């Protein structure tokens, strides 16, 4: 796992792979699963604090992906701003 994160942080992964596969595909799946579990807890009258914590659990990973995109040596302003929009949507929805 450390190698996975380190390669992305050092810019050793192509920016298109980082954006499309890691951010949009994997990141979105992680966020949907966390939100689904949080909604299931709330629907079963579980603790709202636990549901909120589960919903926001992927936030550090999301921030890491966006920061890695902004640090990438291949400069792509459109992908940078698209990752910020993705972060906003993934966090609030």
């Amino acid at each position: 796992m450390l190698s996975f994160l380190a390669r992305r942080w050092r810019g050793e992964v192509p920016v298109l792979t980082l954006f499309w596969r890691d951010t949009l595909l994997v990141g979105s799946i992680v966020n949907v699963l966390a939100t689904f579990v949080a909604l299931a807890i709330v629907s079963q009258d579980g603790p709202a604090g636990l549901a909120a914590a589960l919903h926001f659990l992927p936030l550090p990973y999301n921030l890491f992906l966006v920061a890695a995109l902004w640090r990438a040596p291949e400069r792509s302003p459109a992908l940078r701003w698209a990752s910020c929009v993705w972060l906003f949507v993934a966090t609030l929805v």
Side-chain angles (χ1 to χ4, degrees):
M1 180 70 168
L2 184 59
S3 172
F4 174 85
L5 297 175
R7 288 185 64 225
R8 275 132 187 90
W9 191 251
R10 284 186 247 138
E12 296 172 3
V13 175
V15 72
L16 290 176
T17 301
L18 182 61
F19 179 75
W20 289 106
R21 187 186 67 199
D22 296 343
T23 303
L24 289 185
L25 182 66
V26 175
S28 295
I29 289 171
V30 168
N31 283 297
V32 166
L33 289 175
T35 300
F36 177 77
V37 172
L39 288 173
I41 289 172
V42 168
S43 72
Q44 298 297 318
D45 294 326
L50 176 62
L54 283 171
H55 174 72
F56 290 112
L57 188 63
L59 186 58
Y61 180 65
N62 295 344
L63 291 170
F64 167 77
L65 289 173
V66 171
L69 267 166
W70 278 77
R71 289 176 42 99
E74 302 170 40
R75 304 285 187 225
S76 176
L79 292 182
R80 285 179 169 186
W81 290 108
S83 71
C84 291
V85 170
W86 173 83
L87 177 65
F88 177 77
V89 170
T91 303
L92 295 180
V93 174

